[in-house]
Amino acid sequence: MKATINDVAKQAGVSIKTVSRVINNEVSVRQLTREKVQKAVEELNYQPNLAARNLAGAKSFSVAYIYDNPNAYYIIDMQEGILSACKQQGFELLIHPCDAKNKNITEEVVNMVKHARIAGLILTPPLSEMPEFVKSLVALDVKVVRIMSGDVAPDDLSPCVMVNDRDAAQTITQHLIDLGHKDIGFIAGDAKHMSTVERYKGYRRALKESNIDFNKELVIEGEYSFDSGVSGAKQLMSAENNKHRPTAIFSCNDEIAAGALFAARLMNISIPEQLSIVGFENSPFSRQTWPKLTTADQPNNQIAEDAANLLISQVRKQKNQTTISQYVPKLIIRDSTAIVSNR
Amino acid sequence: MKATINDVAKQAGVSIKTVSRVINNEVSVRQLTREKVQKAVEELNYQPNLAARNLAGAKSFSVAYIYDNPNAYYIIDMQEGILSACKQQGFELLIHPCDAKNKNITEEVVNMVKHARIAGLILTPPLSEMPEFVKSLVALDVKVVRIMSGDVAPDDLSPCVMVNDRDAAQTITQHLIDLGHKDIGFIAGDAKHMSTVERYKGYRRALKESNIDFNKELVIEGEYSFDSGVSGAKQLMSAENNKHRPTAIFSCNDEIAAGALFAARLMNISIPEQLSIVGFENSPFSRQTWPKLTTADQPNNQIAEDAANLLISQVRKQKNQTTISQYVPKLIIRDSTAIVSNR
DNA sequence: ATAACAATTGACAGCGCTGTCATTTTTTTA
DNA sequence: TAAAAAAATGACAGCGCTGTCAATTGTTAT
């Protein structure tokens, strides 16, 4: 029923080793031989047995996606992106949710890598942004690719796929400025996430370039959650804070923005007439709020696929891929932003 | 570095075959021997190599989760539930998103099962509710566990974990009735999903038991999407439809409910004062709408874990698990429902 | 044309485990 | 107590592939 390498070898009239060479894309195979083998492979619909390859070879054909992130949309996007790269390259994907706060996380992950003979890992924030964790992994010779926030990699521990949140945040803030807003609140995500820091920098830069005075009181520390958006917006829009009441709020992600929307509703502030709100991420529910959120779109699927390909080619040692891809999320204007109202 | 079965055998002073017996929980091993081996296993922190087990044995130690479902929250919940069962039982999990509309889906899945030597599959709606698909898989001797909507399994093709949407829908409708609602709209999800059918049945049953006349015009066919909620609610609440304007809407899931909320907002209908809306699923964003949704909670994580355990014990042939678990989602009252207003 | 080299191919062991079946030990029965 | 039956254990092959290294073939330089 299922063809083995032996069947292919017989069909092609070569040794199994030669077949092995062809399917592994090794160099020293004559063109003619290679074609014969490829023909046999197709005729028999042969697919190499991953377990056997993993067992026999020094290499492995599985990668793992390690995450600690409550955002289901993000994870699914990542996962499916990685999966599609894996499928193309004949790799398996293991999924491993874990807890960044766990002290033994390095041990846990290393254990898993050794146990399951994993070729490499894909890390997303916040795990990708824990230098000690990454360092330990790299020191133990675990191949890693990180997806991180920033324009350039912070170190050369591993190849990185960078998401330029700073430029995107600048663009989105500029959008608010273009609408006439000068008092723009900022509700931060988790301070430990680079994305928060980067988005903050972009926000500051936009203000600066438009010569708008930065007002510290308009910045609220928060975390990436709906509740944080609720309390942040309340704080920004509260009566005591009246003199500094912003006309727009930059929320570090869509969830925070949804929370801000909720708070505005509680306080009878109409959006976008009295207050403009922007989110970040373009997660599906940014289209399901009232009003729909202006936000920045991250091509997570593609980012993930890119990262997976980077990892796989690194594992294959095809080239010493120090290449770094960079993505800049782009502005999506919907209904939560409008021209500033007269006051 | 990594202990093999050989190391354990030496350490315990037995043959590798005996170690194999112990780790596979086979019967004919003397208690004393078993303990010796277990001690060695612990001392060496031995973990069997999955690739080798898969390769050598007739059995396999991987299961796959096949899905076609746009709902990220649902998938993540399922996945993590399955994963935790797998971890406990020493199984690997492969994830395989696919397209239910694809004609070749059976072939695709069978191919994958054979290729990756998968012990069994976990299927969720809509895949679990495609009889031909399931039948083909079972005919090809692929072990399957289905998660489905209903109170009893529709056939005995495979073990099932049933989610009793009907009872839950009845409860949630009853909640509306208890609040004094008599004109209760129903926005259906995809007609092909059993969950839609079951929820509809529960809705009808609740009406009947309270002697409320069923009004066909209050039922809107839809699909599981935000947009469907928007258009459904618009239709129900439109002026032409005035005489039948419902005072409450049963939405087949939270996304539809969010859409209905959106439509209400568009039409200047205040929730819950003028209109009560309920959702279904208790997905995270049912807490992030304004107002927060009254809904029915499904313990997806646990359902998934259950299904995975069922599959694994079936694969192990430990017992002929025809057992069927049943879960009934339970009512969660939040802010989108209120006592019916006078008209 | 022939030696010297390089490119190509194949034989074979073995990755870590399980299945089969033979062997040894223990228990039961006569 | 010995023979028969049952239980426990082990020896060994082999799952499907890759790594190593030797053998073969082709190519270039003399």
Side-chain angles (χ1 to χ4, degrees), chain B residues 27 31 60 120 155 268 270 282 286:
Chain B
V27 279
Q31 186 56 26
S60 134
D155 53 57
N268 259 307
S270 68
N282 191 28
S286 67

Side-chain angles (χ1 to χ4, degrees), chain A residues 14-191:
Chain A
V14 299
S15 74
I16 56 171
K17 181 65 215 186
T18 300
V19 177
S20 171
R21 288 196 176 93
V22 172
I23 61 181
N24 284 292
N25 250 312
E26 287 173 30
V27 279
S28 63
V29 179
R30 205 177 309 165
Q31 186 56 27
L32 185 71
T33 314
R34 186 180 300 275
E35 277 160 14
K36 270 196 303 186
V37 171
Q38 279 163 345
K39 185 155 160 284
V41 165
E42 286 192 15
E43 282 171 7
L44 296 170
N45 186 28
Y46 166 72
Q47 290 180 293
N49 177 319
L50 284 182
R53 294 179 100 175
N54 278 333
L55 185 59
K59 316 172 207 126
S60 132
F61 292 84
S62 345
V63 301
Y65 172 38
I66 317 274
Y67 69 80
D68 168 27
N69 192 320
N71 187 333
Y73 291 118
Y74 183 79
I75 298 167
I76 288 286
D77 273 357
M78 284 295 150
Q79 187 171 299
E80 295 190 351
I82 297 171
L83 222 36
S84 86
C86 284
K87 198 172 290 181
Q88 275 174 38
Q89 308 268 354
F91 272 64
E92 277 187 356
L93 174 63
L94 298 189
I95 310 285
H96 191 86
C98 66
D99 180 8
K101 272 160 251 131
N102 181 351
K103 285 290 169 206
N104 304 320
I105 181 170
T106 308
E107 193 191 332
E108 182 189 326
V109 171
V110 168
N111 226 335
M112 171 207 158
V113 170
K114 299 296 176 200
H115 170 48
R117 267 206 159 190
I118 284 175
L121 301 178
I122 293 171
L123 261 31
T124 48
L127 299 175
S128 58
E129 295 170 357
M130 294 165 55
E132 289 312 317
F133 174 59
V134 177
K135 231 174 273 173
S136 314
L137 290 177
V138 173
L140 286 161
D141 207 37
V142 176
K143 300 270 180 257
V144 172
V145 166
R146 286 171 293 171
I147 294 169
M148 318 182 61
S149 183
D151 49 355
V152 294
D155 54 56
D156 54 359
L157 288 172
S158 80
C160 295
V161 178
M162 307 303 297
V163 179
N164 193 333
D165 285 309
R166 196 186 309 183
D167 285 359
Q170 181 175 0
T171 305
I172 206 168
T173 308
Q174 188 61 48
H175 165 65
L176 293 172
I177 295 171
D178 291 345
L179 291 170
H181 296 278
K182 289 191 161 45
D183 301 307
I184 303 174
F186 184 92
I187 306 178
D190 299 67

